[in-house]
Amino acid sequence: SDPNLYKLRLTILDKKGRVTDQSVISLGIKSFEVIDKHFYLNGQPCFPKGATVVWHRWMRTEEGRELGYDTAWFTKNIIQRTRDLGGNYIRFHLGVPPERFLDLCDRYGMIVQYEWSFFHGAPASLESLLEQYRNWLDMAMCHPSVSLFHPYNETEGEQLKTVWEALSQMVVDYPPPVSYTHLTLPTNRE
């Protein structure tokens, strides 16, 4: 909850030394592990406790749509209240939040559960998931607060097999978000 957050500036120069592209990203170095079914953050036991932001329900009302994108309101009423109550975790349930909210979670040292917006077996093809998950994971990997991933909610059977196939093809291109030690993962993912 007391992050060491750095800003990394990436600059691409052409052969004449002129800037052709530049980006600034947040950089936080962390180790997030599961050891014997318990979470560890930077080698210390970690107990995620906090709030769930149910994005799709916020957007049902005019007030929710207004506040749902208000950075100052989100900081005061979600992040700071969660921290004031001893929380260190925010779950963005069923949907990707505005990236500026992930920036805030990075800055305040929150642990983020980052969820995809499909649930209850909403159909998606392998090709669609490969494209959409890549965009989803690319944004997550730019935020050190993102520690837990939830790619599909309350889904089983053939659709879940498609999800696992897409993720299995993609994860080789990304650093592991969570390390597993002394934990046997099921080989049959049904």
Side-chain angles (χ1 to χ4, degrees), residues 76-93:
K76 177 183 176 190
N77 292 287
I78 303 298
I79 291 180
Q80 197 55 55
R81 282 190 183 184
T82 300
R83 288 175 52 90
D84 289 349
L85 293 169
N88 61 356
Y89 162 88
I90 293 180
R91 174 187 180 203
F92 288 103
H93 176 57

Side-chain angles (χ1 to χ4, degrees), residues 7-142:
K7 292 293 182 185
L8 176 65
R9 181 179 308 274
L10 304 168
T11 304
I12 298 175
L13 305 173
D14 66 13
K15 291 180 181 183
K16 294 182 180 182
R18 295 177 300 211
V19 174
T20 61
D21 197 7
Q22 193 170 59
S23 182
V24 176
I25 62 169
S26 295
L27 177 65
I29 300 170
K30 74 170 190 268
S31 166
F32 192 75
E33 301 177 278
V34 176
I35 302 174
D36 294 326
K37 299 182 183 179
H38 298 281
F39 292 122
Y40 285 80
L41 178 61
N42 297 331
Q44 300 298 314
C46 177
F47 303 94
K49 52 189 173 195
T52 295
V53 176
V54 185
W55 206 261
H56 64 285
R57 291 195 178 136
W58 276 23
M59 299 301 120
R60 290 180 181 172
T61 68
E62 186 177 333
E63 180 184 29
R65 286 187 295 275
E66 221 173 89
L67 295 177
Y69 295 96
D70 183 324
T71 304
W73 185 91
F74 188 84
T75 302
K76 177 183 176 190
N77 292 287
I78 303 298
I79 291 180
Q80 197 55 55
R81 282 190 183 184
T82 300
R83 288 175 52 90
D84 289 349
L85 293 169
N88 61 356
Y89 162 88
I90 293 180
R91 174 187 180 203
F92 288 103
H93 176 57
L94 290 179
V96 178
E99 190 167 15
R100 64 184 176 270
F101 290 178
L102 292 174
D103 291 336
L104 289 168
C105 291
D106 293 342
R107 188 175 336 145
Y108 285 93
M110 303 301 285
I111 297 167
V112 169
Q113 180 170 324
Y114 188 70
E115 294 189 7
W116 185 242
S117 57
F118 287 179
F119 65 105
H120 296 295
S125 68
L126 178 62
E127 295 77 18
S128 171
L129 289 175
L130 287 171
E131 180 180 332
Q132 293 179 62
Y133 276 168
R134 188 158 310 280
N135 294 330
W136 180 67
L137 286 171
D138 285 350
M139 185 158 67
M141 293 300 166
C142 293

Side-chain angles (χ1 to χ4, degrees), residues 171-188:
V171 295
V172 296
D173 297 332
Y174 294 93
V178 178
S179 300
Y180 295 96
T181 307
H182 310 296
L183 179 68
T184 304
L185 297 175
T187 55
N188 181 357

